[in-house]
Amino acid sequence: MDDLRDKYISAISSASDEAVLEDLRVQAVGKKGEVSLKMRELGKMTPEERQVAGPALNALKDEINSALAAKKVALADAALNERLKTEWLDVSLPARERRVGTIHPVSQVSEEVTAIFADMGFAVAEGPQIESDWYNFDALNIPGHHPARAEMDTFYTHRKDGDNRPPHVLRTHTSPVQIRSMEAQGAPIRVICPGRVYRADYDQTHTPMFHQVEGLAIDTDISMANLKWVLEEFCRAFFEVDGVELRFRASHFPFTEPSAEVDIRCSWEGGTLKLGEGDDWLEILGSGMVHPKVLEAGGIDPAKYQGFAFGMGIDRIAMLKYGIPDLRAFFDSDLRWLRHYGFPALDQPSLQGGLSR
Ligand code: PHE
């Protein structure tokens, strides 16, 4: 029995893998293993012999089984350690900014705008870029014959021959999301809607695709004064310039009454644009009190509720804030431009951490 113990315990401890271990198990304690065969001999022994040999054989079997189990665990641990040695990753290494790429100024500014309005209690809403003409025009108090349809240089989609329904459009502004948000949420409501919009136009400050952010606040006691405060707060936070000055200029939009366009005071001295000083004014957004017909189209009772809305060009305010002279370059995908005007990929703007750093 001692020979058996020595033989198997040392073989188990030097086994190189699980297959060898399994062979040893079969040889020792398998059905026809050496220890099992010895146990069968117990029947031929005298009771006295059996009293000694029985417990000893059982103890040997237990000993071999636990040696097998322990070795199995040890082999698995060793295999895992081998793997860990090859499959490691140093998560403390600094990110390689070049390889990750940079955040596009439009994305950066969208995040900044969202952070500022979120802080004022506005949620983010979205709508489709291919829009029905009802949402893009009619619901916004722009009926079929209205000149605003032509002024907007709309892109229309094609209908199949014989389909006389009005064609869908690439949305010309984010204002249709006003209607969709009113339908989805009812009043009171406070949302901003950032997104892509499309108009057939192309020069230094116009591209056929650009970005707007719509704002909408509706409640029982909202006035033009709230609109003015919100926009002033926004501009102060966004442009990070003390003494930003805004000018509200009477204007006209079919979907707001009264309407105002907002200009920001600036100077162009020496060819560089400075905000908050000088004698020039730069238009940055359209706004006004939501027209009762628009509230109705969104399913909200204009006798009970009123609100303000505004629409701002995201690319425009990005150009202003970061001194980017040509809008067309935004969408050229020129890596040199992206590296120059882009933002570190892992730096998310927040009011706490500093918006633009
Ligand atoms: N939709 C208008 C535009 O694209 C902007 C606007 C939005 C004006 C909301 C007033 C209210 O020019």
Side-chain angles (χ1 to χ4, degrees):
M1 235 182 261
D2 282 343
D3 288 349
L4 275 182
R5 171 183 296 108
D6 289 349
K7 175 176 163 190
Y8 283 108
I9 295 298
S10 78
I12 288 169
S13 86
S14 55
S16 56
D17 59 41
E18 277 202 40
V20 173
L21 212 54
E22 177 59 12
D23 281 346
L24 286 170
R25 189 190 66 76
V26 173
Q27 279 174 42
V29 295
K31 259 194 197 144
K32 289 181 182 158
E34 285 193 89
V35 177
S36 313
L37 292 177
K38 279 264 176 297
M39 287 178 122
R40 274 190 221 165
E41 288 170 16
L42 286 174
K44 296 180 209 147
M45 292 179 187
T46 65
E48 292 74 24
E49 285 173 328
R50 203 182 300 142
Q51 243 174 21
V52 181
L57 271 174
N58 269 323
L60 176 58
K61 189 180 169 193
D62 288 348
E63 195 180 339
I64 290 175
N65 272 330
S66 46
L68 284 166
K71 184 65 181 180
K72 196 169 175 183
V73 171
L75 282 174
D77 282 352
L80 181 62
N81 281 334
E82 268 316 300
R83 246 182 82 193
L84 288 176
K85 262 189 226 160
T86 56
E87 298 179 8
W88 64 277
L89 191 69
D90 184 352
V91 292
S92 69
L93 279 176
R96 291 186 206 107
E97 285 177 7
R98 270 291 175 77
R99 295 204 32 202
V100 177
T102 56
I103 302 288
H104 194 282
V106 170
S107 306
Q108 176 79 9
V109 165
S110 300
E111 293 290 336
E112 292 179 21
V113 169
T114 305
I116 296 169
F117 281 108
D119 195 52
M120 292 195 263
F122 285 76
V124 173
E126 284 180 320
Q129 295 175 40
I130 299 173
E131 192 53 285
S132 75
D133 81 331
W134 189 80
Y135 279 107
N136 197 78
F137 295 122
D138 298 78
L140 291 161
N141 196 28
I142 311 175
H145 54 79
H146 198 285
R149 291 202 179 206
E151 278 163 25
M152 282 202 174
D153 302 310
T154 311
F155 287 112
Y156 292 92
T157 61
H158 281 295
R159 287 274 187 208
K160 276 190 195 137
D161 281 348
D163 185 340
N164 291 323
R165 289 173 301 167
H168 279 73
V169 302
L170 297 187
R171 68 178 179 195
T172 56
H173 50 181
T174 42
S175 300
V177 191
Q178 284 189 34
I179 307 296
R180 291 183 176 274
S181 310
M182 289 185 225
E183 286 178 339
Q185 300 180 35
I189 189 170
R190 231 188 281 181
V191 289
I192 56 163
C193 330
R196 294 183 164 181
V197 300
Y198 302 84
R199 291 181 203 176
D201 208 351
Y202 190 70
D203 62 32
Q204 192 176 343
T205 51
H206 296 88
T207 50
M209 184 281 297
F210 60 105
H211 300 79
Q212 286 189 335
V213 57
E214 194 81 7
L216 176 69
I218 294 172
D219 211 324
T220 51
D221 54 359
I222 297 232
S223 76
M224 215 59 189
N226 301 122
L227 168 67
K228 195 157 180 268
W229 183 86
V230 163
L231 292 176
E232 280 174 350
E233 268 317 280
F234 167 77
C235 287
R236 243 190 296 280
F238 177 76
F239 290 109
E240 301 175 74
V241 179
D242 293 333
V244 164
E245 200 183 329
L246 298 183
R247 178 171 78 175
F248 283 70
R249 193 164 30 79
S251 182
H252 176 264
F253 299 102
F255 31 93
T256 47
E257 180 57 39
S259 304
E261 279 174 303
V262 176
D263 306 331
I264 188 162
R265 187 189 282 281
C266 64
S267 81
W268 288 100
E269 235 165 80
T272 49
L273 178 65
K274 281 203 186 120
L275 296 173
E277 56 184 71
D279 296 322
D280 280 324
W281 295 92
L282 226 147
E283 183 193 321
I284 55 167
L285 63 92
S287 67
M289 298 301 291
V290 180
H291 196 288
K293 283 191 183 168
V294 174
L295 291 172
E296 251 164 34
I300 289 177
D301 180 3
K304 187 166 171 211
Y305 290 103
Q306 73 287 144
F308 66 73
F310 59 84
M312 191 158 43
I314 292 184
D315 329 71
R316 272 287 168 84
I317 60 172
M319 291 171 80
L320 277 177
K321 180 168 179 180
Y322 295 112
I324 307 173
D326 194 319
L327 181 61
R328 290 168 295 198
F330 274 65
F331 311 116
D332 280 347
S333 302
D334 182 332
L335 282 178
R336 293 162 304 174
W337 188 93
L338 290 167
R339 283 183 192 131
H340 181 76
Y341 287 111
F343 293 82
L346 303 174
D347 243 6
Q348 285 301 299
S350 74
L351 289 181
Q352 290 73 31
L355 277 182
S356 49
R357 267 173 282 193

